[in-house]
Every structure is written in structure tokens, then in C-alpha cells.
């Protein structure tokens, strides 16, 4: 597709429940990035993929967060045992080649609320 | 480590006035810099980017930014604000050798008064 698609738009979970977010990158883009936006600002990089391979996971809280990009499937970001501080908007972005000069195209985000 | 700092979390201008949103970078290697805009409840949209070609970069919606190495700045400007420019603006840097990820500034909210 021509746009990055993210589902669901909103997700509400009780503390301790699992949350799973999905992202379909733009067709032909090899790189996928996940960012977390807390409190309307503060974008934090979480993880990036080159096709189905993890490229950079330095931003991932490893204990509860995991992510995958499998062939012919949307990419996913999963949070096991959600905590209140996981409440945020999670954005997915894709780019063609992962080079520093590449434009990243962002999806509309998934708003996760943990109660 | 490369980073960007946006001065002013909130800027208010009158319609028709000059828009100036400030971004300073910290980098020991030539930086690649971006300005994105976020409208309410939406994702980020690229306004413009600096990738070491021309220092004056023109973007969409009448915005432009000038890369000034001596001042380590990449400020965003628009000569005449429109009501539709009201949004959150983010400056970002793509760090060297880190696969194209973006490091964002704190954001500046632009309000436009009629």
C-alpha cells in the first residue's frame, strides 16, 4: 500500500494484560521502525527491522516487549504484562533502505491505555 | 551521541506573522536533520530534510529551514502563518551508523491566533 497502516487505533488493557499492535509498512519498504510517544511528545525509538530481521533493538525494554516482522504478515509489537507506564501512542514507520538520508513514513499510531 | 534540542515548547504567532521554530543539534559528524509535523491525533509528516546538499532547504506548505554549522542550528521558518499551521513540530537527527533511526527533539507546539 501507499501508506503505513496500524491497527488497532485504540487499545485498552488492564494492568498485567497482554497488548499486541500491528503495522503494515509501505509496499517495497525494507525497513520498519517502532517508536513510543508518551504524553504528546517525547518520541522514543524502540526497535527497527530490515525485512524480517531485527536491525536495532537498543530501545526495547526487553523484559516485556517483543516484536516481529514475518514475511507476508504485518509486523507486530507485543507487550506482555502491561504496566501503567506503557500507556502511550505507538507509531510505526517504514523507509525504503534504512539509510540516514531516507524519509521515514509514519502510520497514524495505536493509542494504548493501561488501566 | 547525536541529539537535537528544540527551544520553546510552545510558540504562539498571529495569522500572517513569521513563524520561527528553533532546533539546535549536537553532533561530531555531519548531521542529517529532519523536521516533521504532527497534527492532532495523527502520525508524523515530513516537512523537509537536510542531507548535506544545499544548506537552505525548502519543504512543503511554504516551510523552509537553513542549516548553519557555525551555530549548530536548523531552525524552521515560514514567512506568513496560516491557521492550518497550528500543530506540533518535531526536529530530528539520524545518528551516524545506526540504521536510519531518528532521535527526536522534545517538540514545539505552534498556535496561530486569528
Amino acid at each position: 500500500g501507499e501508506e503505513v497502516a496500524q491497527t488497532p487505533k485504540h487499545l485498552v488493557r488492564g494492568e498485567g494484560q497482554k497488548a499486541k499492535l500491528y503495522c503494515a509498512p509501505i509496499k517495497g519498504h525494507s525497513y520498519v521502525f517502532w517508536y513510543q510517544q508518551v504524553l504528546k511528545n517525547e518520541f522514543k525509538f524502540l526497535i527497527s527491522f530490515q525485512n524480517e530481521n531485527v536491525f536495532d533493538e537498543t530501545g526495547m525494554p526487553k523484559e516485556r516487549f517483543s516484536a516481529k516482522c514475518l514475511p507476508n504478515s504485518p509486523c507486530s509489537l507485543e507487550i506482555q504484562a502491561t504496566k501503567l507506564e506503557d500507556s502511550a501512542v505507538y507509531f510505526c514507520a517504514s523507509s525504503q533502505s534504512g539509510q540516514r538520508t531516507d524519509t521515514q513514513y509514519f502510520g497514524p499510531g495505536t493509542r494504548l491505555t493501561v488501566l | 551521541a547525536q541529539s537535537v534540542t528544540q527551544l520553546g515548547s510552545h510558540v504562539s504567532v498571529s495569522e500572517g506573522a513569521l513563524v520561527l521554530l528553533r532546533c539546535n543539534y549536537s553532533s561530531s559528524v555531519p548531521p542529517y536533520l529532519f523536521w516533521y509535523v504532527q497534527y492532532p491525533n495523527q502520525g508524523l509528516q515530513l516537512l523537509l530534510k537536510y542531507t548535506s546538499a544545499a544548506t537552505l532547504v525548502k519543504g512543503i506548505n511554504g516551510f523552509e529551514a537553513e542549516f548553519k554549522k557555525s551555530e549548530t542550528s536548523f531552525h524552521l521558518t515560514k514567512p506568513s502563518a496560516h491557521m492550518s499551521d497550528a500543530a506540533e513540530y518535531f526536529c530530528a537527527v539520524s545518528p551516524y551508523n545506526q540504521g536510519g533511526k531518528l532521535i527526536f527533539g522534545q517538540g514545539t507546539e505552534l498556535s496561530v491566533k486569528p
Side-chain angles (χ1 to χ4, degrees), chain A residues 87-107:
Chain A
S87 293
V89 183
Y90 291 83
F91 288 96
C92 172
S94 70
S95 70
Q96 273 194 312
S97 68
Q99 296 200 29
R100 292 175 66 205
T101 53
D102 257 8
T103 296
Q104 288 186 27
Y105 295 85
F106 282 75

Side-chain angles (χ1 to χ4, degrees), chain A residues 3-115:
Chain A
E3 295 181 339
V4 176
Q6 290 188 250
T7 56
K9 194 169 182 178
H10 300 281
L11 192 56
V12 180
R13 290 289 179 265
E15 207 171 5
Q17 291 186 316
K18 185 172 75 175
K20 196 164 185 178
L21 293 61
Y22 296 92
C23 167
I26 292 173
K27 194 175 179 182
H29 283 192
S30 302
Y31 280 76
V32 171
F33 303 81
W34 285 97
Y35 295 90
Q36 179 193 56
Q37 185 184 30
V38 179
L39 295 176
K40 213 182 149 186
N41 46 28
E42 296 280 347
F43 275 88
K44 179 191 171 190
F45 168 78
L46 294 176
I47 190 170
S48 62
F49 287 84
Q50 180 184 14
N51 296 311
E52 62 265 27
N53 303 307
V54 174
F55 189 87
D56 180 350
E57 57 181 349
T58 52
M60 285 284 269
K62 298 226 176 114
E63 300 81 28
R64 299 180 296 108
F65 284 59
S66 63
K68 291 179 186 176
C69 278
L70 299 175
N72 303 313
S73 297
C75 296
S76 63
L77 177 69
E78 188 168 338
I79 309 172
Q80 302 283 347
T82 52
K83 296 184 177 181
L84 294 176
E85 64 257 32
D86 297 333
S87 293
V89 183
Y90 291 83
F91 288 96
C92 172
S94 70
S95 70
Q96 273 194 312
S97 68
Q99 296 200 29
R100 292 175 66 205
T101 53
D102 257 8
T103 296
Q104 288 186 27
Y105 295 85
F106 282 75
T110 293
R111 180 176 297 278
L112 172 64
T113 303
V114 181
L115 303 174

